[in-house]
Amino acid sequence: MKRVLITGAAGFLGSHLCDRFLKEGYHVIGMDNLITGNLDNIEHLFSEKHFEFYNHDVTKFVHVSGELDYILHFASPASPIDYLKIPIQTLKVGAMGTHNLLGLAKAKNARILVASTSEVYGDPQVHPQTEDYWGHVNPVGPRGVYDEAKRYLEAITMAYHTYHGLETRIVRIFNTYGPRMRLNDGRVLPAFVGQALRGEDLTVFGDGSQTRSFCYVDDLVEGIYRLLMSDYAKPVNVGNPSEISIADFAEEIIKLTGTTNKVIYKDLPKDDPMQRQPDITKVREILGWEPKVERGEGLKRTYDYFKSLPEEKLYKKEHNTFEEYIKR
């Protein structure tokens, strides 16, 4: 049985990747320090014979006993509310964490896929964004800690590939949504849905003309799986090119949730990207991948998940440590 290490396993994307690799017949080793991850996301896996979990910070030395075939490095804060609150940890997991996992991959002769982001493009001056666009990033702005952490992640990963001959894959992830997102993580979809469920006005930052392109999590996981199994080492965009303005998206959420509350507007945060849309020509050509889930269907599935949460989840901060989890 092949073995895979997934860091950030208790996070939104990491937990879905754990599900997928168990379904594909792998022995899955999940790792997370639970700064932003939540054990509720993987609780259903604890009884699985071929799943094990380590509460560990990958910015410290990472050891895994036995053979290892693949590593998927998804450990990182991924929402503005997180990386603005813990900027140094965000930089460290992109730099030191990636370095440690590349070293582990080299020692184990394992293939490693690292999770980069569309944020490497910053506030883009090219639209839609292609993989050969170098980006427009403010390295000392408030979002720079995340953007530059991921740019460094890409650089050191490619250095290990070219210098050590390590098998590496780099996925640039665009806005993704689905079940297990945190209602309080600051991203636009859970923010809008959470506000609707609480009977609050929906908050749009800026005039709402900025755009995003939303990919359902199942589609993203399929793209990541195909990329890992491919022989392509350069960065690849994986996302849904269906672009929508935030103002129009707010109206979609209002219609979906049936809320009677209004949309209110606040100042746009510094360096917030005005456009975000992937050019997916490369992933179509190389992997034969394209998104399958229409936004309407994906939003319905996600809303059904949020509606199923206990009421206290709408108002209280989620537990995200072993101690809080055990005390439930």
Side-chain angles (χ1 to χ4, degrees):
M1 174 173 280
K2 290 192 174 182
R3 302 172 82 232
V4 57
L5 169 66
I6 300 175
T7 71
F12 165 48
L13 295 181
S15 66
H16 284 280
L17 286 165
C18 289
D19 288 341
R20 174 62 184 267
F21 278 84
L22 283 167
K23 183 180 177 182
E24 294 289 344
Y26 289 78
H27 182 88
V28 175
I29 303 161
M31 187 173 286
D32 204 303
N33 66 355
L34 303 176
I35 287 182
T36 60
N38 193 317
L39 286 172
D40 288 350
N41 290 334
I42 53 173
E43 186 175 28
H44 64 289
L45 301 179
F46 290 162
S47 61
E48 292 282 342
K49 179 182 177 181
H50 294 295
F51 178 76
E52 52 186 307
F53 177 75
Y54 292 95
N55 179 208
H56 182 71
D57 182 347
V58 297
T59 67
K60 299 177 173 62
F61 178 75
V62 180
H63 171 72
V64 175
S65 298
E67 295 183 358
L68 206 55
D69 297 283
Y70 300 110
I71 298 171
L72 287 88
H73 178 30
F74 279 72
S76 176
S79 73
I81 199 170
D82 289 331
Y83 56 72
L84 295 176
K85 183 171 63 176
I86 46 174
I88 294 171
Q89 292 94 327
T90 301
L91 285 161
K92 286 173 70 175
V93 74
M96 298 160 61
T98 305
H99 193 183
N100 286 339
L101 290 160
L102 288 164
L104 178 65
K106 182 173 177 287
K108 299 287 187 180
N109 195 29
R111 181 180 300 175
I112 181 171
L113 181 147
V114 298
S116 187
T117 170
S118 61
E119 297 300 322
V120 298
Y121 300 124
D123 187 9
Q125 297 173 315
V126 169
H127 191 73
Q129 292 81 58
T130 60
E131 288 88 350
D132 57 3
Y133 175 53
W134 292 350
H136 178 225
V137 174
N138 177 3
V140 295
R143 301 173 68 98
V145 294
Y146 183 66
D147 302 356
E148 296 296 357
K150 291 298 189 180
R151 287 161 73 92
Y152 179 85
L153 167 144
E154 290 194 10
I156 193 171
T157 298
M158 191 53 67
Y160 263 75
H161 174 73
T162 55
Y163 186 77
H164 290 300
L166 191 65
E167 285 198 38
T168 60
R169 307 290 182 264
I170 301 171
V171 58
R172 287 181 181 161
I173 298 168
F174 282 68
N175 296 77
T176 305
Y177 69 99
R180 302 182 197 156
M181 294 190 86
R182 284 164 41 219
L183 274 172
N184 62 349
D185 83 349
R187 283 181 275 197
V188 63
L189 189 152
F192 282 171
V193 173
Q195 287 170 333
L197 288 172
R198 291 188 296 268
E200 301 169 357
D201 294 331
L202 275 61
T203 304
V204 170
F205 294 98
D207 63 5
S209 63
Q210 67 270 39
T211 68
R212 296 294 183 267
S213 305
F214 296 99
C215 183
Y216 189 66
V217 63
D218 289 358
D219 284 335
L220 182 81
V221 166
E222 175 65 23
I224 289 167
Y225 188 84
R226 291 192 191 189
L227 178 60
L228 178 67
M229 299 305 163
S230 76
D231 60 1
Y232 191 78
K234 292 181 180 179
V236 177
N237 290 339
V238 180
N240 192 320
S242 177
E243 186 181 22
I244 186 172
S245 74
I246 296 302
D248 288 344
F249 188 60
E251 294 302 323
E252 282 194 1
I253 298 298
I254 287 172
K255 183 177 179 181
L256 173 72
T257 60
T259 182
T260 57
N261 295 72
K262 61 182 184 296
V263 176
I264 60 174
Y265 293 83
K266 294 187 177 181
D267 291 340
L268 190 69
K270 183 176 173 58
D271 300 328
D272 195 55
M274 289 304 297
Q275 292 180 305
R276 185 66 81 233
Q277 183 189 24
D279 183 312
I280 62 169
T281 302
K282 184 169 289 187
V283 72
R284 277 192 178 119
E285 291 177 349
I286 295 172
L287 305 180
W289 176 92
E290 60 183 348
K292 304 293 186 185
V293 180
E294 296 289 337
R295 191 169 61 243
E297 174 60 26
L299 288 177
K300 182 181 181 301
R301 296 181 196 175
T302 307
Y303 182 51
D304 287 344
Y305 165 77
F306 284 134
K307 283 194 300 182
S308 73
L309 296 176
E311 188 172 342
E312 59 265 24
K313 287 270 190 179
L314 293 177
Y315 300 94
K316 292 183 181 179
K317 182 179 179 293
E318 297 166 334
H319 61 266
N320 62 351
T321 68
F322 262 130
E323 291 74 16
E324 290 172 305
Y325 181 79
I326 292 168
K327 288 177 182 176
R328 289 188 310 168

